Amino acid sequence: MEVLFKLLFFTDTHYTARNPTSRKDTLFLTSIKKTREVIDIGIKNNVDAYLHGGDFFDSPDISDNVAGIIGEVYKEFPKKVIVIPGNHDIRGNNITTLEQTKLGLLGRLNVVQILNYGDKVIFEKDGIKLQITGSPSDFGINRNKQMFILKEKNADIAIHMAHAMILRGDANFGDYVPIREIQDETKADITLSGDFHLGFDTVEHQGKYFVNPGALVRKYNFLEEINRIPQVALITIDNNKQITIDLIPLATAKPGSEILDRSKIIQKREYEAKILEFKQSIITRDSYSTNLLDVIYYMAKQEKIEPDILKEILKRIDESKRILGIIG
C-alpha cells in the first residue's frame, strides 16, 4: 500500500479578541497556540493541504488587528489552507456578502483559499484524482439537505466540505439534518462538516465517511464542552483508494475544568430557583393582607430574601402590571 494523499481537517476556530465570560484563560492566545499545533501536526504527517470547515472568525467584521494577527499566523502554514465560509464569517448568513468580510479579504490576499459554491480543488497523483468541493453556510442550509449533498463526482475520490448542522443522530434542538438522510444520496466519499461544535465519532456507511472532529475552541461552559478535548481529523488515501480517518486530540488543549468556568451558570440557576420558591410561597402561604406589595415585603422579611432578588421580583410585577394595562 502506498499513501497518495494526506489532508488535515479542522473547524470552527472562531478567532476573536473578545473573551467569553466562561473562559478562565485568554481565548485568543489559546486559539493561536492551537493553530500552531495544527500546523505542526500537518508537518509531522506531511499533509498535502489543510482543510478548514468554517467559522474561521467569530464575526464577519472582526477587528483589523485580529484579522492582521491571524493572517500572519496563517502565513506560517507550509501548505495551502482551504477554507469554507461559516455562518460567523458572512453577514446575515448570506454567502453573497463574503467579499465584504475579513475572511473574504484573507482570500483575496491569498493567505487562505476560499471554497465557495461551484469551486473545485483538484489533486492528482499516479493517475488518481482527488476533488474537493464545498457548501458554505447560507440562509436555509440546515433546512435543505440538497444544499450540501454532492450531486456530481468527477474524480476517483471526492471530498465535500459543508458548514451545516449535520448530526450523527437525532436531536431536540433547531434545524439540522441527520446523516442517515444524506448518506445514500451524496456522491461524496468523505463529507466533512463544521458548525456543530461538539462534533461526533466518524460515521462510515457503505464506504462513505462523515466526519466532524468538533470545534477547535470551546466557547461555551456546558458540561459536554468541559468533557470534550478539541481534536483534528487526519485523512489518508492510499493508491487502492482506501480511506482512513484518524482523530487526533490537541496536546495544547487543557482539560475543560481548567479553562471553563461554570460558576455563573450555577449562580443563575440558584437565583431562578429562589425566585420560583418565593412565588410558590406566596401562592401556598395564608395571609390576611389583600395588598400584593404588603404580602411581598412580609414574605421577603420572613424568608430573608436577598435585596437583589426582591428587586427582581418587584421589577417583574411592574412589568406584568404594564402588560395588563396595555391589554386592558
Side-chain angles (χ1 to χ4, degrees), residues 173-276:
F173 62 87
D175 295 320
Y176 69 94
V177 174
I179 290 173
R180 66 174 181 276
E181 292 189 11
I182 64 175
Q183 60 190 14
D184 292 319
E185 291 187 55
T186 186
K187 293 185 179 180
D189 298 285
I190 306 171
T191 298
L192 303 175
S193 63
D195 199 16
F196 182 55
H197 282 206
L198 296 179
F200 50 75
D201 292 334
T202 300
V203 174
E204 188 272 334
H205 173 75
Q206 296 180 359
K208 299 176 183 178
Y209 293 83
F210 298 84
V211 183
N212 180 351
L216 204 70
V217 299
R218 289 169 288 185
K219 292 177 58 181
Y220 310 109
N221 52 4
F222 42 86
L223 289 175
E224 292 87 348
E225 281 287 70
I226 288 179
N227 295 330
R228 181 179 74 87
I229 293 296
Q231 55 188 358
V232 296
L234 178 65
I235 303 164
T236 304
I237 303 169
D238 67 24
N239 56 348
N240 290 322
K241 306 176 189 176
Q242 295 299 307
I243 297 168
T244 303
I245 310 291
D246 294 306
L247 298 180
I248 304 173
L250 296 186
T252 54
K254 296 181 179 179
S257 58
E258 292 185 18
I259 50 89
L260 289 171
D261 182 10
R262 283 181 58 84
S263 62
K264 287 184 173 58
I265 284 182
I266 295 172
Q267 289 173 3
K268 183 178 179 181
R269 287 177 179 172
E270 291 177 347
Y271 182 80
E272 293 293 336
K274 287 184 178 180
I275 290 179
L276 179 61

Side-chain angles (χ1 to χ4, degrees), residues 105-118:
L105 175 62
L106 293 189
R108 289 196 300 276
L109 294 174
N110 294 317
V111 175
V112 298
Q113 181 174 351
I114 294 177
L115 197 63
N116 208 330
Y117 286 110

Side-chain angles (χ1 to χ4, degrees), residues 12-29:
D12 291 83
T13 47
H14 286 271
Y15 297 117
T16 178
R18 182 178 299 174
N19 216 53
T21 57
S22 60
R23 296 284 304 208
K24 298 178 182 178
D25 60 348
T26 303
L27 180 61
F28 185 56
L29 297 179

Side-chain angles (χ1 to χ4, degrees), residues 8-49:
L8 195 65
F9 176 63
F10 63 111
T11 187
D12 291 83
T13 47
H14 286 271
Y15 297 117
T16 178
R18 182 178 299 174
N19 216 53
T21 57
S22 60
R23 296 284 304 208
K24 298 178 182 178
D25 60 348
T26 303
L27 180 61
F28 185 56
L29 297 179
T30 299
S31 299
I32 292 175
K33 184 183 297 184
K34 289 178 179 177
T35 301
R36 289 200 165 108
E37 183 179 354
V38 171
I39 294 174
D40 291 341
I41 292 172
I43 293 173
K44 179 181 178 182
N45 289 279
N46 193 29
V47 300
D48 297 283

